[in-house]
Amino acid sequence: MSDPVEHDLELTTVRPCTIYGAFDPNFMPLFARINALPLSIRPVGMRMSYVYAGDVAEGIALALEQERSIGRAYNLTGDGESWQDLTDAWRAAGGKTPAFALPIPVPLAPQFDSRRAKQELGWRPRSLVDGVRDTFRLEGR
């Protein structure tokens, strides 16, 4: 494999976590199906780092605009929200949620921290509620 320096490439790495947003063919359809059931599951102890797709694009644009990002890596993630946090945001944005959710222990802690992207790039991800509202608006829900 070639060395980036050999080809005079200036690289920046961005690492988003669980991406959600409009027209997502992966995570959002699964989340919607689970929440559309009258009886569902609620993973307890599972904290993810959800990030809205538009915020990922914004983070990439900010990294491209700033020379200081060259050679750096940035995690573009949420703040370790729970499945229940996302479900609450889904409901607040007008999405359907189950009448009852069976708690299932899933001990999973967030693995990434976005402080560097916030401090060095000025990146600010939107709240879960705002991200889900934007998702519904763009999808015409």
Side-chain angles (χ1 to χ4, degrees), residues 81-100:
E81 302 86 356
S82 70
W83 183 275
Q84 188 62 49
D85 293 335
L86 185 56
T87 300
D88 292 345
W90 186 270
R91 183 183 312 108
K96 185 177 179 181
T97 57
F100 181 76

Side-chain angles (χ1 to χ4, degrees), residues 14-21 24 26-27 47-53 55-56 74-81 108-114 123:
V14 294
R15 298 182 293 228
C17 223
T18 306
I19 301 172
Y20 71 94
D24 167 29
N26 300 307
F27 179 73
R47 301 195 74 73
M48 301 289 287
S49 294
Y50 304 107
V51 62
Y52 180 66
D55 293 338
V56 173
Y74 298 96
N75 295 327
L76 302 178
T77 69
D79 293 323
E81 302 86 356
L108 178 67
Q111 304 296 314
F112 302 101
D113 178 340
S114 60
W123 181 72

